[in-house]
Amino acid sequence: QASDRSQRRSGFDSLVPTTRENMTYTFDLVGLEASAVRVSATVADGAKFTIDGKNGDDDVSVREIRTRVRSVLGLVGSFAGKSVAVSFDRPVDLRGGRHDLAVAVAILEAALVVPHVGAIGFIGELALTGTVRPSRGVLPCLLSADAKKLEHVVVSRECSRAETEGQPNALVTECLSGVVDWLKNRLDAPAQPGRKSEQEQKADAAESRDRLHAEFLSVAEHIGAECLILVGKPGCGKTIAAQLLSRAQASLTDDEQRELSCIYSVAGILRDRIEHRPFRAPHHTCSTAALVGGGSPCRPGEVTLAHNGLLFLDEAHEFRKESLLAVASAIQTKRTASYKGNLFVSYPAKPRQLILTVDEAADEKRSGRPVAELREIFEFLRPVVVEMEARELSRMMEVNRG
């Protein structure tokens, strides 16, 4: 009977030699910069689970990783009586679960459940069922993998196609068992679709410029201005004019498209391939951190999400002055800066155009102070004040009917 029980053992029980060490790769993310980090694991007899010497009793992040990884590894084989020690070759931010998959694979390799992994990176949080969940900032990690010359990077199938398309080293998986199958069989990466042609993008911009000249001539005359202050009554078309200005800009270059994709990937909002320059229109009630970035973990703000695009502050006179000053400072220095303890995080912040709107009635009620204050705050951009008349809305309606 004892021999029968021994033959039925699988996974860790039958395959783990004492103190065998293996390594794989994960990625650490600071701002838009991702760097590959080696993850080492050793498996031996015992009952401990430590990460860089921490057992999780005094570190919530370590405790959460331990819980998720142990639960998932229990689906592969019996984990009882085994002690695991995981280490990274340099300090990393363990929050968010982005290292779960790499830690699990390193342990499976040490346990001889999978063959030698080699130069392969892994990104993803593990659910207790073994499903691999997506993490923020996949695209910068894939680009970093090229520089590190990693063969492949395995990510969650739930990641946006915009993050993985065009990246030949990207492989997607639904669960940990899929990763194990791939490591044993080394399947090819799927083909990825291309982006919209340059001719189509130029045609979109030309159409927007034509409509802008037809409907908002006073705005179109300043299409190249860095900063516009649109003053008019509600309904005169200030928002539509700003949207057309955004679409009328020159097409994104490949470098700009790649940088924007990285920004949106880090922010966790990259869903589709970015074909046009971004148009961001935050509400006047949003916080300063939402405008210039911050939070825990730190994320890009609206001024960064509008990088190389158009930042539209509707009813700009309603924004808090400290928020407007923070936006002005970020645009002037072309970067945002956030400090979290000893960690410094910086994001690019250079919108191609800044559009501010002021309600005509509010400006008249306060004797022109709203426009004067905005011109003073954004003086370095040499703002141009455009007074939009109600007749421009009538012209727009006539063009639409025609």
Side-chain angles (χ1 to χ4, degrees), residues 289-303:
L291 285 171
V292 299
S296 182
C298 188
R299 299 196 183 198
E302 292 291 337
V303 68

Side-chain angles (χ1 to χ4, degrees), residues 64-86:
E64 290 177 347
I65 293 177
R66 180 185 64 187
T67 300
R68 290 191 297 265
V69 172
R70 269 189 138 166
S71 298
V72 174
L73 292 180
L75 302 175
V76 179
S78 176
F79 193 62
K82 299 302 173 185
S83 181
V84 174
V86 178

Side-chain angles (χ1 to χ4, degrees), residues 25 192 326:
Y25 288 88
Q192 303 291 353

Side-chain angles (χ1 to χ4, degrees), residues 81-97:
K82 299 302 173 185
S83 181
V84 174
V86 178
S87 62
F88 298 88
D89 68 346
R90 62 182 182 82
V92 297
D93 186 357
L94 296 176
R95 294 173 299 176

Side-chain angles (χ1 to χ4, degrees), residues 103-262:
V103 169
V105 172
I107 296 171
L108 289 173
E109 184 184 4
L112 295 180
V113 174
V114 297
H116 177 63
V117 174
I120 299 175
F122 299 88
I123 312 169
E125 178 183 350
L126 291 174
L128 298 181
T129 58
T131 303
V132 180
R133 294 171 175 167
S135 297
R136 294 189 301 113
V138 167
L139 182 56
C141 296
L142 292 174
L143 298 177
S144 172
D146 289 335
K148 192 70 175 180
K149 297 183 179 180
L150 300 184
E151 295 178 40
H152 295 290
V153 178
V154 180
V155 301
S156 170
R157 186 176 294 277
E158 297 179 22
C159 288
S160 167
R161 286 181 58 187
E163 295 190 279
T164 57
E165 65 183 4
Q167 304 298 327
N169 58 352
L171 288 173
V172 296
T173 185
E174 293 181 354
C175 56
L176 182 62
S177 60
V179 176
V180 173
D181 291 340
W182 177 78
L183 289 172
K184 292 179 178 178
N185 301 306
R186 297 299 168 98
L187 302 177
D188 294 332
Q192 303 291 353
R195 63 180 294 187
K196 185 182 288 189
S197 68
E198 184 177 352
Q199 291 77 11
E200 290 176 307
Q201 296 180 52
K202 289 182 178 179
D204 291 342
E207 181 181 354
S208 297
R209 283 193 294 270
D210 291 342
R211 184 180 171 191
L212 192 64
H213 280 85
E215 301 172 13
F216 304 100
L217 184 59
S218 63
V219 177
E221 292 175 350
H222 306 287
I223 193 171
E226 287 186 284
C227 179
L228 289 179
I229 301 177
L230 306 182
V231 183
K233 295 179 180 179
C236 70
K238 298 187 290 293
T239 300
I240 298 176
Q243 291 173 336
L244 290 174
L245 279 171
S246 176
R247 289 298 183 98
Q249 302 294 337
S251 302
L252 287 167
T253 65
D254 289 339
D255 289 341
E256 289 174 335
Q257 192 270 344
R258 187 180 302 109
E259 185 177 28
L260 277 172
S261 296
C262 287

